[in-house]
Structure formats: C-alpha cells, structure tokens
Amino acid sequence: MIPYEIQILVAAFLFAIGLIGLLTRRNLIFMLMSVEIMMNAGAFAFVASGARWTQADGQVMFLFVLTVAAAEVAVALALLILMHKHFKTVDTNQLNSLKN
Amino acid sequence: MDILFIVSSIVAVIASAMAITRRNAVHALLFLIVSLMGVSMMMYTIGAPYAAILEIIVYAGAIMMLFVFTVMMLNLSVSPEDEKRKTGFKTWIFPLILGAVLLSIMAISFLRDPSWEGLHQVILPKHVGRLMFSHYLLPVELAGVLLLAAIVGAYYLGRTRKRNLHRYLQNQEDSYDTL
C-alpha cells in the first residue's frame, strides 16, 4: 500500500516539472508539451484521490481531464500551425507586435 | 506494489524532466510518451486499471500522435546542428531503457500471483461507467459538446483559404494585401 501523501507528492513533482518547462521554454511546441505534463499530473492526483477513498469518481474526473486535454491540444496545434504560417517561427518571443 | 509504484514514478519524473530539456522536438516527444506510460503504470499500481488503459490509448496514442504529426508538418526537428550530429544509438537508447523498465514492471505485475495484489482496492471499469452515465451524465454530455467545439475550432483555424480571383486581378495579385 503506497501512502496517499507519496502519490500526491509525485503528482506535485510532475506538475512542478511541467510548470518549469512552461516558464522556461520559449518554443511553443515545448510549452504545449509542458501543459500536457501538468494536466497529466493533475489527472493523476484525481485518480490517486479516487483510489484513496475507493470511489470511482476520481476516474470519472480523469476522463474529463482527458477530454479537456484533447480539445486543448487540437485547438492549440491548429494555432501553432497558423503561427508558423504567418511568422515562420514557433518562438513566442517573436510574437511581440500586434500588427505585422 | 510499493516498489513498482516507486520505480514507475521515478521513470515518469525522469522522462518528464528529459522531455522539457531536449532541443529536438521529436526526442522530447519520445520522452513525453515514456513519461505518460510511466504515469499509466502508476495508475495501474494504485488500483485504477481503466484510467491506466485510457492514459495509454488517448494520451500516448491519440494526443501524442497529433503532436508528432504537427512536428513533422512544420519540419522543425531538423536544424543544422542536428544534421551534423550522428543520430543513432545515442538518441534512442535512453528512452529505450526507460521503456524497458516500464515493460518489466508490467510483466512483473501480470505474472505475480493475483492474490498478492489485494493491497489496493481495484476500481473496475464497470463502476466507472455506471457512475459516469448516472450521476455524471450532464458533465459527460458537456464534454461531448466541448469536443465538438474543439473539432469545429481546429477546422476553422486550420482550413486553407482558397481565393478565386478574376483573370484581370490575378495579374496584379501582388499589389493586393493578402490576409
């Protein structure tokens, strides 16, 4: 039996890694991947909580997180392709002007 | 199950840390897939097999495939310094090791005596499905609407604009400010 605190601690570690990646990387692909890591950590916290109290609610919430992640990735990658088409780069530092 | 959870969580954390520090997007995606598999094994060891399988199918299967296709479309992975470097054994050996660790964890947990894994209460997919379509019926339908909106939004953003111009205008097309 793994203590609940350790499971939450692992989720927090993963979330922190994702947050660090989101804040330090300037490549939009890597930022999206960091967001995925963070969402994944949050989903794991849901599942761990569901397992702690032996309720299925945690896994239902995991499904919702999965849905939100899929929708977010679809739209964000479309935006990424648009950005690459317009600016010829995926570096977010280049997005510093409102017009042209 | 303790040691299995700890090993798979270490694999997940290391793979995530490697994923956000790579320079090549494709290598980072490989590490991210390993990380997702590690989280999946963590879910399996704490008694959530349904979530573990969905993690593999939806995250590592569908969402990462979107990422890989986008990276391939944009052709970002090939930069001059990457072409010079030898891309061979060294690039895939580390994800391979992490993946082999996860595979051995899965093999161990399957080959063990079933009575041994009674430490965590296993929540079966039946319970999840029953709860999802009774108590959480409205959020499930809202999730469906969200996915529909995402499909429409992704199509709208990603569509190619086809411009039909008159012959006369086509000659001086350059002078028009295109979108």
Side-chain angles (χ1 to χ4, degrees):
Chain A
M1 185 89 182
I2 305 114
Y4 176 62
E5 290 80 12
I6 293 191
Q7 300 172 16
I8 294 298
L9 195 68
V10 172
F13 259 116
L14 283 174
F15 191 89
I17 288 173
L19 190 62
I20 291 169
L22 183 67
L23 292 177
T24 54
R25 296 306 294 258
R26 291 275 71 92
N27 190 327
L28 197 58
I29 292 178
F30 284 91
M31 293 170 76
L32 284 176
M33 283 163 58
S34 305
V35 170
E36 285 306 305
I37 292 174
M38 288 162 66
M39 281 191 142
N40 203 28
F44 177 71
F46 269 122
V47 173
S49 305
R52 162 71 178 76
W53 282 280
T54 60
Q55 296 290 320
D57 300 60
Q59 294 189 47
V60 176
M61 279 299 158
F62 170 76
L63 272 174
F64 293 144
V65 173
L66 214 61
T67 310
V68 171
E72 175 247 340
V73 162
V75 176
L77 287 177
L79 282 173
L80 180 79
I81 290 174
L82 265 190
M83 177 183 170
H84 188 72
K85 210 185 285 177
H86 280 216
F87 296 96
K88 302 286 176 239
T89 178
V90 287
D91 188 358
T92 48
N93 278 341
Q94 305 296 319
L95 296 179
N96 51 8
S97 58
L98 281 177
K99 192 178 180 187
N100 292 326
Chain B
M1 279 298 198
D2 274 15
I3 186 69
L4 299 184
F5 178 85
I6 290 168
V7 172
S8 52
S9 64
I10 289 171
V11 167
V13 169
I14 290 176
S16 303
M18 294 291 281
I20 63 164
T21 51
R22 295 303 94 188
R23 304 196 65 180
N24 191 321
V26 174
H27 297 172
L29 281 170
L30 283 181
F31 276 110
L32 191 54
I33 289 172
V34 173
S35 161
L36 293 175
M37 287 178 171
V39 175
S40 166
M41 284 311 300
M42 283 155 63
M43 288 173 180
Y44 184 76
T45 50
I46 63 171
Y50 182 57
I53 298 297
L54 268 187
E55 173 99 7
I56 295 283
I57 292 175
V58 178
Y59 254 116
I63 296 180
M64 286 303 115
M65 189 205 69
L66 270 182
F67 267 101
V68 171
F69 276 172
T70 309
V71 171
M72 284 162 67
M73 264 178 68
L74 297 185
N75 203 12
L76 296 170
S77 60
V78 182
S79 58
E81 64 265 27
D82 285 329
E83 280 185 36
K84 270 184 277 177
R85 207 173 53 206
K86 286 250 192 274
T87 56
F89 188 66
K90 255 179 78 177
T91 54
W92 53 261
I93 187 65
F94 197 49
L96 184 73
I97 290 171
L98 293 178
V101 169
L102 289 179
L103 183 66
S104 59
I105 290 172
M106 198 170 75
I108 288 169
S109 59
F110 275 139
L111 294 177
R112 287 276 187 146
D113 184 16
S115 63
W116 176 73
E117 54 172 2
L119 300 172
H120 270 284
Q121 186 90 34
V122 176
I123 298 168
L124 294 173
K126 189 172 76 178
H127 302 129
V128 181
R130 190 167 284 164
L131 192 64
M132 205 163 67
F133 287 105
S134 59
H135 190 250
Y136 288 99
L137 186 58
L138 185 63
V140 167
E141 290 180 355
L142 286 177
V145 175
L146 175 70
L147 282 177
L148 178 68
I151 291 172
V152 174
Y155 170 72
Y156 174 75
L157 290 172
R159 79 194 193 284
T160 53
R161 294 179 182 80
K162 189 178 175 189
R163 290 179 308 151
N164 289 317
L165 290 177
H166 192 267
R167 274 195 314 279
Y168 176 70
L169 292 176
Q170 275 176 355
N171 296 328
Q172 39 184 313
E173 189 181 353
D174 297 337
S175 62
Y176 284 89
D177 188 19
T178 56
L179 188 66

